[in-house]
Amino acid sequence: MAEDQGLPIAQAVQQLDEVYAAWLAGVRSLGDAGLARLCGPDEGPLADYPMATLVLHVNREALHHGAEIALLRDLYVNR
């Protein structure tokens, strides 16, 4: 497979599963207190919001960009 075509699908799915598991473990490790804690100055405009807001934002971004990738994949296959 040419390098510009990316990972083989099985390897890409495995990598996605591993990254998702790490993300989920990190979110779960926050617990209720961690999710309620303010994000702080490192998060710029979200500084005064609870960590749960940042987690929700990151999840929405992952869904959004994942959908874009799926669309591009489908359009490429059907060109």
Side-chain angles (χ1 to χ4, degrees), residues 44-67:
L46 293 177
D48 295 328
Y49 288 86
M51 187 64 70
T53 301
L54 178 60
V55 169
L56 180 60
H57 172 70
V58 171
N59 277 328
R60 280 192 304 248
E61 285 295 312
L63 287 168
H64 170 87
H65 292 291

